[in-house]
Amino acid sequence: MLWITRFSGIFSAAMAVIVLSPSLQSFPPAAAIRSSPSPIFRKAQVIFNNGEECLSSGGVCNPSLVHVAITLDVEYLRGSIAAVNSILQHTMCPESIFFHFIVVVSEETKLLESLVKSTFPELKFNIYYFTPETVRGLISSSVRQALEQPLNYARNYLADLLEPCVNRVIYLDSDLVVVDDIAKLWKTSLGSRVIGAPEYCHANFTKYFTGGFWSEERFSGTFKGRKPCYFNTGVMVIDLKKWRNGGYTKRIEKWMEIQKTERIYELGSLPPFLLVFAGDVAPISHRWNQHGLGGDNVRGSCRDLHPGPVSLLHWSGSGKPWLRLDSKRPCPLDALWTPYDLYRHSH
């Protein structure tokens, strides 16, 4: 199959980069971002011209645009930059992609924006400010501290943050790369559903909630009439118009409020999404979220690819490719992330 050959080539080339690179970084990226007087990312080598088959592009309200939302913060910026680079490298219509970057207001906000501009000078994007106080009182402790960060919950508020004229958006986590034309994902039919995502119905759905949740009808009864399946919230197509009309942000917040007193789940921002949407998700091909490459939420062990074609590689879990590469302990599949990394290793 063609996709196997393609990934074999990418894998070999990327492994060469890992083995031959004389310096894979001297100190953590976050420290470099805060202290460096010069840009720490190389300018992306992207031909920023639409193909002949692309529709005309324009401002944020142009109906022909593909809208992509990604969070930006210092700790995950290297991953976000690689994700954007991968999208641009594989699309036929780079001028038709509009990026919506969600940030938490801080002393580094302007720095993040300037780094994006210097790395992608022609990129169409807006910056949106997410206030941590919006969710701080709703966040419960999780199995991994990183899952408790307020920015993880920004996806719940996209319908409020983005312009009212934006009626559809692809939400992507920062720890992934896209190896196919994202326009294909954009064209996914949601039908009457509010969100679309790859579902994994073979997964043990009961483990995402506590025994107390399943023993009480007032909680577990929320799935009555539905056939809930696990889905990963790091890759979603969202109909923002339906979201706004249905008040789905409030529905998610309701479950977060219950969690504060009843402890019905253990995993950060995922369970509230499952409670509201599981069993009512427009199915998307698994090729659009080869997730779990970061291992589990504790050890971050190495994983293999799932069988089948690949359009998106996702390092969900605690093991992030840039951290494993810099520690000189990469997993084999981290080589597939390396070609999109624009970090200047001299820093």
Side-chain angles (χ1 to χ4, degrees):
M1 292 177 66
L2 290 177
W3 67 268
I4 296 178
T5 304
R6 181 185 184 189
F7 268 87
S8 176
I10 294 175
F11 183 83
S12 299
M15 280 305 294
V17 172
I18 292 175
V19 173
L20 298 177
S21 178
S23 172
L24 280 176
Q25 182 165 328
S26 57
F27 58 99
I33 291 168
R34 293 186 176 104
S35 63
S36 177
S38 60
I40 67 167
F41 295 103
R42 304 187 306 277
K43 181 180 175 182
Q45 300 301 308
V46 178
I47 299 175
F48 234 91
N49 295 312
N50 275 355
E52 293 182 359
E53 68 277 20
C54 303
L55 297 174
S56 61
S57 58
V60 66
C61 292
N62 189 305
S64 65
L65 292 175
V66 172
H67 295 276
V68 179
I70 300 177
T71 59
L72 288 182
D73 70 337
V74 171
E75 300 298 332
Y76 279 75
L77 181 62
R78 189 169 165 189
S80 298
I81 292 291
V84 173
N85 190 29
S86 71
I87 292 169
L88 297 175
Q89 294 289 347
H90 292 280
T91 183
M92 293 293 293
C93 306
E95 293 179 276
S96 297
I97 301 178
F98 198 103
F99 287 89
H100 304 264
F101 295 120
I102 317 301
V103 303
V104 168
V105 179
S106 71
E107 60 184 17
E108 291 142 354
T109 300
K110 291 299 181 183
L111 174 60
L112 294 174
E113 184 174 357
S114 66
L115 284 171
V116 171
K117 286 181 177 178
S118 63
T119 308
F120 307 103
E122 299 177 85
L123 193 71
K124 291 183 176 179
F125 73 92
N126 279 342
I127 299 287
Y128 305 83
Y129 300 103
F130 179 66
T131 306
E133 285 67 31
T134 303
V135 292
R136 205 180 296 281
L138 295 171
I139 296 175
S140 302
S141 60
S142 181
V143 295
R144 183 158 57 95
Q145 189 173 6
L147 299 177
E148 300 172 23
Q149 299 305 309
L151 201 56
N152 285 336
Y153 295 83
R155 73 194 85 185
N156 303 358
Y157 299 89
L158 292 176
D160 300 321
L161 292 168
L162 274 53
E163 291 82 355
C165 64
V166 180
N167 290 324
R168 184 184 179 97
V169 69
I170 296 172
Y171 173 82
L172 298 177
D173 274 352
S174 299
D175 53 357
L176 54 78
V177 292
V178 178
V179 293
D180 201 345
D181 195 331
I182 200 166
K184 298 176 183 177
L185 179 60
W186 176 255
K187 293 174 183 176
T188 298
S189 173
L190 300 184
S192 62
R193 308 292 177 58
V194 178
I195 70 169
E199 293 183 290
Y200 303 89
C201 295
H202 62 280
N204 179 9
F205 189 79
T206 60
K207 72 177 183 180
Y208 294 100
F209 302 95
T210 63
F213 171 88
W214 292 111
S215 66
E216 295 217 29
E217 173 66 21
R218 63 188 173 119
F219 299 143
S220 60
T222 191
F223 292 121
K224 188 175 182 179
R226 290 194 267 166
K227 293 182 179 180
C229 294
Y230 162 75
F231 64 93
N232 180 279
T233 53
V235 179
M236 296 185 291
V237 180
I238 306 173
D239 186 319
L240 295 177
K241 186 174 182 179
K242 289 191 179 79
W243 184 293
R244 295 176 184 120
N245 291 339
Y248 283 92
T249 296
K250 291 297 183 183
R251 300 189 195 192
I252 289 174
E253 287 181 335
K254 184 193 76 171
W255 284 110
M256 294 175 69
E257 290 169 357
I258 292 173
Q259 162 73 355
K260 293 292 289 185
T261 58
E262 302 289 346
R263 198 65 186 176
I264 56 176
Y265 55 80
E266 303 291 345
L267 272 176
S269 61
L270 169 64
F273 258 86
L274 296 179
L275 286 161
V276 173
F277 293 110
D280 195 23
V281 174
I284 293 176
S285 170
H286 289 177
R287 70 185 300 151
W288 285 104
N289 196 352
Q290 282 268 346
H291 70 292
L293 303 186
D296 59 27
N297 280 308
V298 180
R299 292 175 298 169
S301 53
C302 297
R303 296 277 180 87
D304 293 326
L305 284 175
H306 307 297
V310 180
S311 292
L312 185 151
L313 297 152
H314 187 186
W315 278 262
S316 57
S318 61
K320 304 307 174 189
W322 57 92
L323 297 178
R324 296 196 292 215
L325 288 163
D326 294 344
S327 67
K328 307 294 180 69
R329 294 194 299 268
C331 291
L333 289 178
D334 294 344
L336 300 177
W337 181 86
T338 305
Y340 306 101
D341 183 18
L342 294 174
Y343 183 73
R344 292 181 185 272
H345 296 297
S346 60
H347 280 80

